[in-house]
């Protein structure tokens, strides 16, 4: 399951949430601190779970 990072536009709190892509689409993400829905998704980079074991 991917971990998304968000930043609140109101209080600048950054927080992470672990959820599926489906959940992500239907869930309204709120800031845990000020409960604002004005959060912005922060792209933290890609999780490339391509196991390169030879
Ligand atoms: Zn906030």
């Amino acid at each position: 399951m991917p971990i998304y990072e968000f930043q609140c536009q109101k209080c600048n709190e950054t927080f992470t949430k672990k959820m599926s892509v489906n959940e992500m689409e239907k869930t309204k993400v709120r800031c845990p601190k000020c409960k604002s829905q004005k959060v912005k998704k922060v792209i933290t980079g890609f999780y490339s779970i391509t196991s390169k074991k030879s």
Side-chain angles (χ1 to χ4, degrees):
M1 219 176 268
I3 298 171
Y4 297 95
E5 191 173 352
F6 299 91
Q7 183 177 38
C8 179
Q9 306 283 277
K10 216 171 164 184
C11 70
N12 263 343
E13 174 85 351
T14 51
F15 56 99
T16 52
K17 273 193 183 296
K18 193 169 135 194
M19 59 179 134
S20 69
V21 179
N22 266 352
E23 251 180 302
M24 178 66 198
E25 274 170 12
K26 54 187 175 194
T27 310
K28 282 265 183 284
V29 182
R30 279 171 184 245
C31 172
K33 200 173 168 188
C34 70
K35 310 288 184 219
S36 168
Q37 287 188 0
K38 283 200 160 200
V39 295
K40 176 175 90 175
K41 195 160 81 175
V42 182
I43 312 293
T44 42
F46 292 93
Y47 284 81
S48 49
I49 318 169
T50 40
S51 49
K52 280 180 182 171
K53 284 175 195 163
S54 47

